[in-house]
Amino acid sequence: MSHDDVLNPKQMPHDPEKATLEGKNKFLGFWFFLGGETVLFASLFGTYLALNGSTQGENTPENLFGLELVFIMTMLLLTSSLTSVYAMYHMKNHDFGKMQLWLVITVALGLAFLGFEIYEFYHYIHEYDFTFRSSAFGSAFYTLVGFHGGHVLFGLCWITALIIRNQKRGLNLYNAPKYYTASLYWHFIDVVWVFIFTVVYLMGKVG
Amino acid sequence: MADHTGSKPVHQAEYERKQHREEMKQQVISFVMMILFTFVAFGMVMAGVDSFFVIPVLLLLAIVQVVFQLYYFMHMKNKGHDMPALMMYGGAAVALLTIITFTTIIWW
Amino acid sequence: MSTAVAQKRGLAATIWDYLTTVDHKKIALLYLYSGGFFFLIGGLEAMLIRIQLMKPDNNFISAGLYNEMITMHGTTMIFLAAMPLIFALMNAVVPLQIGARDVAFPFLNSLGFWLFFFGGILLNVSWFTGGAPDAGWTNYAPLSTTSPGHGVDYYVMGLQISGAGTLIAGINFLVTIINMRAPGMTYMRMPLFTWSTFVTSALILFAFPALTVGLFLMMFDRMFGSAFFDVALGGNVIIWEHLFWIFGHPEVYILILPLFGAFSDIFSTFSRKRLFGYSAMVFATVLIGFLGFMVWAHHMFTVGMGPIANSIFAVATMAIAVPTGIKIFNWLFTMWGGQIKMTSAMLWSVAFIPSFTIGGMTGVMLAAAAADFQYHDTYFVVGHFHYVIVGGVVFGIFAGLHYWWPKMFGKVLNEKLGKLAFWPFFIGFHLTFFIQHFLGLMGMPRRYWVFLEGQGLETGNLISTIGAFFMAIGTVIFLINIVYTAIKEPKVGGDPWDARTLEWSIPSPPPHYNFVQTPLVRGLDPLWVEKMDGKKGMTPAEPLGDIHMPNGSILPFMMSLGMFIAGFGFIYQVDNSSWLIAVFIGMGITLGSMLTRSLKDDLGHHIHKEELEADIKKGVGK
């Protein structure tokens, strides 16, 4: 059987992402990678928490952060998590067209999130003169939030590449694991963001 | 892969679709809960609730949200996720240890 | 890379084959050659250090060069010698021990190697570009953040790149061991070397991200002006120490655990007994891995964490002696009553037990936080960690190489030369490091360029230096043995040791698909089970059929090369921003290769039944 055959929905196995050995390996390996990423972000959070009192002048978390923007960003990212769940739902039902559509929506929401984040950084730098170099708090803030933003950017490129590459081919057992791991990655980005808006913004605002 | 090429009986395909719908329903419910939690979290901070109370509650809400995300959105509740769960808990344990360290024994 | 290519080929074709290979056995050889090369460099640095400390007030090398030597000796030996040599053994053996045809991610396996390789080369390029890193292998801030020149920048970029490779290799082995085991190979039937590889890989997964973050922060501080470790802007230098040791302490277990596994396999093979207390050994391995994450702060007792934190970490550290003790006794009981054959591999293993136990004892001494204030940063510590790392890791690597050499190369290393290499190394090792405990107790601090006359340190240091030369002689004899064996020794069959585990059921060296038919495992020590039933080899678990194998690829090499180029860009853009071009070119090559990888389908190839039947006729099957 060639992998390039578009599978007849009637023949598609129950879990197309785990139907082949390669798929099983990818699935497991990617989860383990996320286990490692947990430690990576914990180290960044730890550094941030250790340094979040090391501010310079008026640029404290309480003065800087505006919750309205963060709230919108949170809603965007949470919703994008749901849309990628819908995409995987349609993958399991072998509805390739709808899966692609929901992924496009996910990418659009992710792009909006990233746009707001860039605006936020721009705003801090130009309105408050709060930069990566101005204090240890600044370094820690931009590194933690920036690492998350970098993950978002990477995820967007990844999902976009998958959408374009497979548009003409449809779903098969070769690319199903790729879609599935990309969606896991996207959810993990959301997991990290939940802690960022809680620990950095909300707790920063409370003081 | 030979065992997958045979056509599936119609009733099984229907059963699977139903299962998927059921799971999707759970996922939508968890999404609604997550949105609700987020509203509560932002609401409490904007209303200026006392920090002694609000910080533990914020952390609790975040952890519950993440549990929803992991177990429903990422399917960790499903079969065949023992090893992923083991490694995620491993990572979480090291993460917790790291965070405790950086908030207690780092000086000042 | 089908079997047909195995005919006469030119040098260029062979090089191309190794650049593109995804075969775990060839990647093992690449790890072995480059790890061995870095081991010799690290050893040379050690000799220069010992010559400098041969007599009081010596001026053999300058103070600055001495700092570079100690830094590069430690960094090279840990990251560029011990780690890859261990990965060489893992790659060569683990897939065979579990009855797999390859690892779970052959492409990533190759990527892991090339990242390590280019990271190591990048680090060592610093010798020729104005000075190697000189802030110690632990690279503590602010010594490292204020170190002039680019030495520490090389440290940061080199370790970042090779660390990424290690993380990839760790994930690869985890998935391989979980998903690729042959039918019947349950977790509690896995050989100890496979078990310890599994635990080690989990440690890598959770420990290396902390180093990654630490190196990023250091990179941002040194190259992009951030303030993590800049106290004037509110930074905190203790963050580096914690991140480094959250990684660093699991790292020493990452080094020793696989060799605990190798020793277990060697003891049971050459005692002709099954391992004593198999399940206790597995439990002890997992427990050491678990506790390994709770003890990092014992490297920081004198930092001022307070008595409560110090006590917690002291007790946790001492607790590790319990599972380690379980292991020591189980090895002794494995030998007890066995038909012991004192081969070279066994000699190294037997010598390991007392040597490592001494290191463990001084470890418990150091774990006593109050006493540690006296030992800290003296030669006592240097003596301690060389006893565990040389007496454990290096002895283990030698033992493992002697044991698995026939599987990797089809020839048994000459036994006479093997023993001749052992004795000078063993005697030299104890001469070099035993006396260092006493030098430390007498107050000699580590990392000092010179010591003074008339303080009673002369004799001890001279003895230590003489010992180092003995170790060098042992290493040279081992190298001679490799050459001698390659030229003079005869080819051997698949099972020269009359051994017990799956890797010995196939030819040496194995065909590139390893097993013609996946074997059926019927118990612990599967090959031994079959032998006891009077069978010649394993019972197959599947009929003879086509085998699916992955294709080779140059992309892992290109991705790593891109990182290497970008590394230079990052280091030198501080002086001149036009170096940013190198960053863009390098990252472009890496990301472009990644994109190529994901856009181009790579479905692998099949080895057909007819080819396999032809191979069996040539004697591959049994």
Side-chain angles (χ1 to χ4, degrees), chain B residues 97, chain C residues 245-246 248-250 252-253 288-301 305 309-310 312-320 367:
Chain B
L97 222 54
Chain C
W245 288 116
I246 287 173
H249 200 80
V252 303
Y253 293 101
I288 292 175
F290 180 72
L291 288 174
F293 273 100
M294 320 250 167
V295 298
W296 76 88
H298 67 214
H299 297 269
M300 302 164 61
F301 280 151
M305 296 181 298
N310 275 9
I312 293 170
F313 283 104
V315 172
T317 305
M318 291 177 195
I320 292 192

Side-chain angles (χ1 to χ4, degrees), chain A residues 25 54 133 136 139 165 169 174, chain C residues 179 224 227 233-234 599 601-602:
Chain A
N25 288 344
S54 299
R133 297 174 183 182
S139 304
R165 172 70 182 98
R169 298 200 305 175
Y174 183 72
Chain C
N179 271 358
F224 299 101
L233 288 174
L599 294 188
D601 285 1
D602 182 2

Side-chain angles (χ1 to χ4, degrees), chain A residues 11-12 81 85 93 190 206, chain B residues 4 8 20 27 51 69:
Chain A
Q11 296 172 349
M12 199 72 166
S81 206
V85 164
N93 284 337
D190 208 33
V206 173
Chain B
H4 295 305
K8 251 187 267 181
H20 296 158
Q27 283 165 332
S51 74
Q69 187 82 236

